[in-house]
Amino acid sequence: MQGSGQEEEEGDGDVVMPDATDDSSEEGEDDEEEERRIREGFIVDEDEDEEEEEEEEAPRKRKRRKREEETLEEDDLQLLEENTGGNFKRKSRLTRLRRRDSASPPAASSSRRREVVESSEDDLDNEGSRQAPDIRNIWDDDRRGDDEDDEMSDFIEYSDEEEGGVAMNEEAREARREEKRQEQVRRKKARGARPELAGIDANAWDEIHEVFGDGHEYDWALIGDDEGEYEEDHFKSEMKYQDVFEPSEIRKRMLTEDDDLIRAQDIPERMQLANSSLAQSSTLSMHRKLTDDELGGAAMWVTTRLSTRKNRDFFSPDGIYQHLKGALVMAVTFALRQIFIEEYEVPYIWAHKRDHISHFDVHDIRSRFELLSLNELWRINSLGQKYRSLTERRKALTASYSRLQIKDEYYEDEIQEQIDSVEVVADATEWLSMKYKDQKEDAVADFRFHDDEEPEVKKRKMPSRISAYEVTKKSIVSKLAQGFGIAPHQVVLNFLASHHVHFIDDQEVVPLAYAEQYEDSDPTKAQSPEELLRKARMILATELGKDPLLRIQIRKLFKEEARVTVEPTERGITKIDENHPYFNFKYLYQKHVNEMLDSAQFLHILAAEAEHLVTVTVSIPADVKSTFERKLLDAFSSDNFSEAAKAWNAERSRVIREVMEQHLLPAGTKWAREYIREEVEDCLALRCSDELRSRIDVGPYLTRELRYGEFASSVLAISWGKGDPHKDPITLVFVDEAGRMREHTKIDNLHDQDNKDEFIDLVKRRKPDVAVIGGFTIATLKLMHLVKQLFGGDLGVPDEHGRDTNNEQAFDIPAIYVQDDVARIYQHSKRAADEFSALPPTAKYCVGLARYVQSPLNEFAALGSDISAISFDEDNQHMIPKDKLLVAFEQVIVDITNKVGVDINRAVTDPYHQHLLPFVCGMGPRKAQVLVKKIASQGGTLVNRDQFIKGGLLTTKIFLNAVGFLRIIQDRDPKPLKYRPEDENAPDPLDDTRIHPEDYELARKMATDALELDEEDIHDEHPSHVVTLIMNDKEKDRKLLELNLDEFAISLYEANHDQKRHTLNVIREELQKPFSEKREKFRLPTDSAILTMLSGETSKTLTIGLIVSALVFRISRESVIVRLDSGIEATIDADLLTDSSQNPYDVVKKGQTLTAIVIETRFDLDHDEVSIKLSTRPKDLADGDRDFRRVPYDKYWDHARYSKDQEMLARKKRAETDRTRRVIKHPNFHNFNTAQSEAYLEKQQRGDVVIRPSSKGINHLAVTWKVDEKLYQHIDVTELNGDPTGQTVGGQLVVDATHTYADLDELIVNHVQAMARRVEELMAHEKFKHGSEDELHLFLKNFLAANPAKSMYGFTLNRKRPGHLSLCFLANKNSTVQTWPIRVAPEAYYLFDAAAVGVPELCDAFKVR
């Protein structure tokens, strides 16, 4: 061998092969030098600072790149083949070891190579037993794959016959094979995780070790790089959908973290939301459950706020249900427990627990009385949420009080007991903050850790009154305030007790003399006794005005006695005329608050106020105010009769006046406005929800009795669109009983015989139960008439005698109209586009009509948040906040959905029916979504309700809420099968009833008793086998009615105190007819509603006496046919065209627009006729329609103010009429008023002029010129000896005593332009500052602050007096800014009376003064 061990050590990585011909000494030297450089780059002494590490970072990276780029050369591979006998093929460049996420297998680094093949004979002999534990550990860590997938399978070709070029005997070969088998077993264990390293056997591992070493030679240099890469991969977050999709899209698809939480929690979804689930972005509610300890207080709080009727009937001494008030409180308590502790929704309580909200007397079972209605349950739900919020606020207030670490007996004994609203919580918080602000700051300051930095506390800017209070409270004046002899909270207690619980300590001296004791000895800081008393009064007034108990009393007073007064603004006087909707309350005067709670008037008042048309005053009557004020003064006054006591009482009277005017009355007004607004919004929302209930609490339109499993009739929907015979075809859509569209076609008209035949053929094939007609214009009436003719058998084909022939078979199919507002929204909705992308909009509209006939509930439920676009109160609905409206609508849909029930199997398979599922009790959009997916994954069909729990489809609480409303329709003719108790998929007839599973045993017991069976008769059958028997029994009604349910209910109550009387009635009804229809019959729209739907006309737009615009459409000798804007045709008889009878052809022409008055209206939609008669006679139009269009005024009307404003408007109108329009030939003359002239000059240059008429009379002119941006001077010019007609300018033009001109041009040049030049000259001066006078003041103060030894002055425009300027100066930093006026005249500037012909002279005049 060549090369000793010494050479190997010096080479440090040089490969030395036996019989090698090339000398390695140079390589060793090169490698040694390279090793030294690398170590300098990688090894860092511990005492080196961070800067050196940063400097070494770049070369370190370069070394790594260099190390990665180096590979084995061709001659190195040849040497390896010669000395090992192996076959080394170069498949690709070898790179350094890759990390575990690399796509290709790792290979050993070849830079700075150490000896990788030992060349001694001893090493060759022991080659079979050598191991490379380190490198095997690197590649064995669960990363090996199959042999076939190994990318390095051809990297080393190994021969069994040779091992390192040395022949092996049979024993050695056998031992080698055994070792390979063991290695293969070991590799297979990790093959699943590392497919890229499969196929490398044990010999190959040894070979790799011999060639590349164990892979750890340069760990000292690689450790930093590896750790960095590992940390980068370790902390690299996985890709989530939040990183890809827009947040709005995630919210829309309900995939946020909040949505996941709502889905996971075993709480009804609507209880987890802070707003309606119909809203586009629902928010998660963070409220907690109520506790048992809070339930009693909640019940009393809620009960007293249910309604005024409940309070009158149950809690007044003469109430008709006064004896049941205890039962009412218990019923409210039960409802609150069910909702806020047990977490059951309102429909569950109403359907399954109604006995607990009813009065149940065991001794008089028939006296059962429902204490709470369904609407009152929803009211309890709403009030309970408010009470829960109140308790949380109270706890936060208690915690704040505890942190103050003080004991205030007045707060603990008096205020805490009265905290029953969020307003009182806010008042108490403000009161504590005011009274204990110093302690509050100390408490916050003490709550810090030792190593916390001083926090930068951003203090809110408090109101000025409180700020002044804080300053004064810390001064000596607080001692003076104590001299009033009684504390503020004692005054309040006296007021509440109506007598003196606390007495006043009178002073012996009068207030002024007493105040002199607190004057400051420093004359520069001294304040007058009057000022000290004023500040003392302010302290007392503030503390009284902020007292929570006093504020409770003023709110109570406003709630009972408040009056609302409205006054129009100057703009509102002219804008709100007699036809304006706001005219009703334009002069509203002292209307009682209670009379405003049940109408939308106050919301319209607030809207008018927002438009700056009116001002609103909410106040209490003077006598009520004086009574309250006098009572408060009595609680504060002394009973002594001395002169000092009288003087102090006078001061106390001033305090009370300040309390009332500055604190209590403003607070009461603000609260009353919000109170009225909230009450009115709630009232209107309830009214709109009642309208919705009347629309959806109806069954499908039926012409026959539905069979079991059917839900609706089949419908043929027909529409002509806009009804243009040249453009719009007639669209026909047939929808089957399940709401699926089965056929869609178009026909051009119903006049041609071919089209009629096609229509008749469709009707014969499909046999619809009902036809619904809809459209967007009044032409739909013609379509309805044609359809009725065809259904009646009249084909309209004349026979040989000219008579119409009738169809052999008439169709007994009703043709109806329905409300189409939902269908109009549906035709343009995304839902329609997803369902019927190929259909035109009119066909989608027809689908919406047909489905509405089948189920109004389903159509409204599918609208989602778009339901707020449906108008239920045309005039007022837009005034209600959308969130409040959606909550009210959601409650109605939830009620009716649970009243009807939802077929769960149909909901899973039918996306249209699926819209009802979120409104099932306990469910919501998210829970319904996941339920459908779970059922679909388990086969898509449920056999019984037990599968909801056993299949993990619903959590326990949601199951209990929802299960009674989820029906599983059963086969009415089941094949008789032997019942097996272990069969979990056996159907149960009770699962297709409204009976809750908790009452199944009662139902089975009732069925058994009705059939008079014993348990032995049915013990081998399904538990509900008796239910099947009674349901199929032809005499079931008689047998069930014979049961004495009263005795059954009494026995249940006596045994277990179960209240089940109403439940037993429900069970009997369900056994008789499961899920029977409890809704009212389908309501068809009224004639007026149909007319509005087709034309848009209402009683406000089309009624007798109104003047309308009409277009002449057809003319005959007897009449003129006209068309209104809405498309309705009307008739004007010939004798009604003019006062004198004339030929219509001589009076009007086709296409002419006429003004006419409505004299007759007749709507006969049963015969598809609308008859409108008009008149255009001048004598009929003379009186106009003001009386018909006038908005009636409120009964609380201020007639005196109205008359006064009407007289003022009349005077203005007369003045405008009397004023002659002047025409003066001059380029600068315009007939403008003040606002018009300023608007005209806004875009002109400075100095431009407008000459215009003057409002002072015909001998006056007004001259307006532009001084600066948004600054204009108006000059009054008098004409001496002017033209009496006002058409020309004559005589002299007098501006003032010293300025007279001969004509307008001289006036402009010598007066206006002369002043404009002087203004321009002064504005160009260095001391002139643009902007307001306040900005100049600030500039002067800043200049003096920087230059204390100087004084400074400057000029600016006087924007309050156009044409004047202001000279402002500051003598020194301690003085105040002085302002002197400068008047600009054509000949000079005037500083006071001193004239200055130029700016330098003006500056000199200032300095001289």
Side-chain angles (χ1 to χ4, degrees), residues 1368-1379:
C1368 304
F1369 64 93
L1370 193 59
N1372 56 65
K1373 67 174 185 178
N1374 295 323
S1375 62
T1376 58
V1377 178
Q1378 299 292 320
T1379 300

Side-chain angles (χ1 to χ4, degrees), residues 841-970:
T842 306
K844 296 173 185 174
Y845 169 76
C846 288
V847 173
L849 285 177
R851 286 179 169 177
Y852 186 87
V853 172
Q854 294 179 331
S855 175
L857 169 63
N858 216 324
E859 283 301 290
F860 274 100
L863 284 176
S865 60
D866 289 339
I867 193 173
S868 60
I870 305 293
S871 177
F872 299 99
D873 186 344
E874 182 181 357
D875 297 326
N876 306 315
Q877 183 172 323
H878 66 282
M879 312 292 294
I880 310 170
K882 186 175 180 180
D883 287 344
K884 189 169 286 188
L885 204 58
L886 290 178
V887 168
F889 288 164
E890 182 184 39
Q891 290 176 0
V892 173
I893 299 176
V894 167
D895 283 343
I896 308 305
T897 301
N898 291 284
K899 186 177 185 179
V900 176
V902 175
D903 179 358
I904 184 62
N905 288 323
R906 183 184 175 195
V908 172
T909 57
D910 184 0
Y912 170 63
H913 194 66
Q914 207 173 97
H915 293 297
L916 291 176
L917 197 55
F919 299 99
V920 171
C921 182
M923 304 292 285
R926 298 156 188 82
K927 291 188 181 291
Q929 184 186 65
V930 73
L931 174 62
V932 169
K933 289 181 179 179
K934 285 182 178 179
I935 295 176
S937 68
Q938 296 184 14
T941 304
L942 297 182
V943 179
N944 56 48
R945 286 172 172 173
D946 290 345
Q947 290 176 285
F948 284 116
I949 290 295
K950 294 179 179 177
L953 303 176
L954 293 176
T955 51
T956 304
K957 190 66 68 179
I958 308 304
F959 171 79
L960 293 174
N961 268 282
V963 68
F965 311 106
L966 296 174
R967 62 182 301 190
I968 300 175
I969 294 182
Q970 309 290 326

Side-chain angles (χ1 to χ4, degrees), residues 442-459:
D442 293 342
V444 173
D446 292 341
F447 191 69
R448 294 201 192 106
F449 294 103
H450 66 281
D451 56 349
D452 283 350
E453 296 181 0
E454 288 293 324
E456 295 183 5
V457 180
K458 291 185 178 180
K459 296 183 179 179

Side-chain angles (χ1 to χ4, degrees), residues 1 23 32 107-108 121 188 291 476 711 764 882 985 1250:
M1 292 181 64
D23 188 7
E32 182 178 0
E121 295 295 332
K188 284 181 178 179
T291 63
I476 193 69
F711 295 95
K764 286 181 177 179
K882 186 175 180 180
N985 293 327
V1250 165

